[in-house]
Amino acid sequence: MLAAVHHVQLAAPTGSEDLLRAYYVDVLGMTEIPKPPVLAARGGCWFRAGAVELHLGIENDFRPAKKAHPGLEVTDISAYAARLEAHGATVRWDSGLPGRRRFFSYDPVGNRLEFLV
């Protein structure tokens, strides 16, 4: 039986780790967590905030997905959107999900992220 989502993996281009760290740590407020040595040799980085883990893996022929994305719940969506905007990130509000407030944004390599409450 499924119990929980352990992590979501997103792809990223070769050599983008510093951009990813700046965004996921400084902008989103996540903490980088160490990858096991055998996986660290492949590049990429892993991040955590509470029970949420996002793994960014290197993909040689990287192209960001146009629709696929993680949906990340936040506690104060207006404040979180303001945080992203203050760091220069795009915030695109969307009213297409009844009963929820949400917006979309993109990491520096083009991965789409949904934030909702």
Side-chain angles (χ1 to χ4, degrees):
M1 277 184 134
L2 291 175
V5 173
H6 180 271
H7 69 273
V8 172
Q9 174 143 338
L10 301 171
T14 303
S16 63
E17 288 88 351
D18 287 342
L19 281 173
L20 297 170
R21 287 182 181 103
Y23 180 79
Y24 285 92
V25 173
D26 299 337
V27 178
L28 297 189
M30 299 183 84
T31 300
E32 185 171 4
I33 56 175
K35 293 178 69 171
V38 69
L39 298 178
R42 300 178 187 173
C45 13
W46 293 0
F47 304 95
R48 178 183 295 140
V52 176
E53 272 192 37
L54 296 177
H55 296 182
L56 280 291
I58 299 303
E59 189 172 284
N60 291 329
D61 190 23
F62 171 74
R63 285 186 214 99
K66 294 185 188 295
K67 294 279 288 180
H69 62 274
L72 306 168
E73 285 193 358
V74 296
T75 55
D76 184 341
I77 196 161
S78 295
Y80 205 71
R83 175 191 177 110
L84 270 66
E85 289 175 322
H87 283 90
T90 299
V91 169
R92 186 178 52 81
W93 289 96
D94 182 273
S95 61
L97 187 58
R100 296 281 204 150
R101 288 189 67 213
R102 71 177 179 170
F103 68 86
F104 291 95
S105 191
Y106 298 85
D107 75 8
V109 299
N111 288 311
R112 183 180 188 213
L113 305 170
E114 178 182 353
F115 300 92
L116 67 156
V117 65

